[in-house]
Amino acid sequence: GENVEQHPSTLSVQEGDSAVIKCTYSDSASNYFPWYKQELGKRPQLIIDIRSNVGEKKDQRIAVTLNKTAKHFSLHITETQPEDSAVYFCAASIRGANNLFFGTGTRLTVIP
Amino acid sequence: NAGVTQTPKFQVLKTGQSMTLQCAQDMNHNSMYWYRQDPGMGLRLIYYSASEGTTDKGEVPNGYNVSRLNKREFSLRLESAAPSQTSVYFCASSGLPGQGSNEQFFGPGTRLTVL
């Protein structure tokens, strides 16, 4: 099956700075890469996703980039705010399957 | 429109006891999933059901069974609970018919402690 690795496990940034979280995947057949945000005690919620036919996708302060050759993808959050503090999970899904393989998560803390 | 619901929210069991976690979705999704979440290990898939009438093992199925009761409901059963099954359990669903969407919608979770 797919193996997704995520780094760093914790990340602290000053409010207004940017944050970058990186993931690698192992199976070249993976073609869907979502990012989920999980606030303390809450359920994971999708914040952005990208498919393998696209190299970059943006949604306001959030962007995701995908490098299929290197099998890695990254989440970029600009102008961070305290409400961005949460655990972020990357995931990958193999073409033709519904299953998601998750990374181990990054705890982001935005310091006011 | 409640989305994905789970019961119970909290449960404490003794080793060897059994219980069933219930999950229901009202989004007409084809696929449903059960995950467990442990500190530092992310979300790991226990079982999934790609469509009504089918179930398959995920990464960590040992000690669990599932039933896709109908399109809306997907239950997870622990026959003989062990302390290693102490975790937060999330149910999720995805896939509107004909739309091929991979986005998974999660329930609020069940916090299970096995003593």
Side-chain angles (χ1 to χ4, degrees), chain A residues 43, chain B residues 1-5 24-29 72 93 96 105-106:
Chain A
R43 71 191 78 187
Chain B
N1 191 340
V4 181
T5 57
Q25 52 93 8
D26 62 1
M27 295 178 284
N28 197 32
H29 284 165
R72 291 187 63 248
S93 69
L96 281 170
F105 295 81
F106 285 81

Side-chain angles (χ1 to χ4, degrees), chain A residues 48-96:
Chain A
I48 194 167
D49 57 12
I50 191 168
R51 295 190 180 272
S52 59
N53 58 345
V54 174
E56 184 176 6
K57 184 176 178 180
K58 288 184 180 179
D59 183 2
Q60 299 182 345
R61 297 186 295 108
I62 294 173
V64 58
T65 58
L66 171 65
N67 182 327
K68 287 188 295 183
T69 303
K71 294 202 213 111
H72 66 71
F73 57 112
S74 301
L75 178 71
H76 304 253
I77 305 174
T78 58
E79 301 172 23
T80 53
Q81 300 167 3
E83 52 265 38
D84 294 328
S85 295
V87 179
Y88 292 81
F89 292 96
C90 63
S93 179
I94 296 172
R95 183 179 298 112

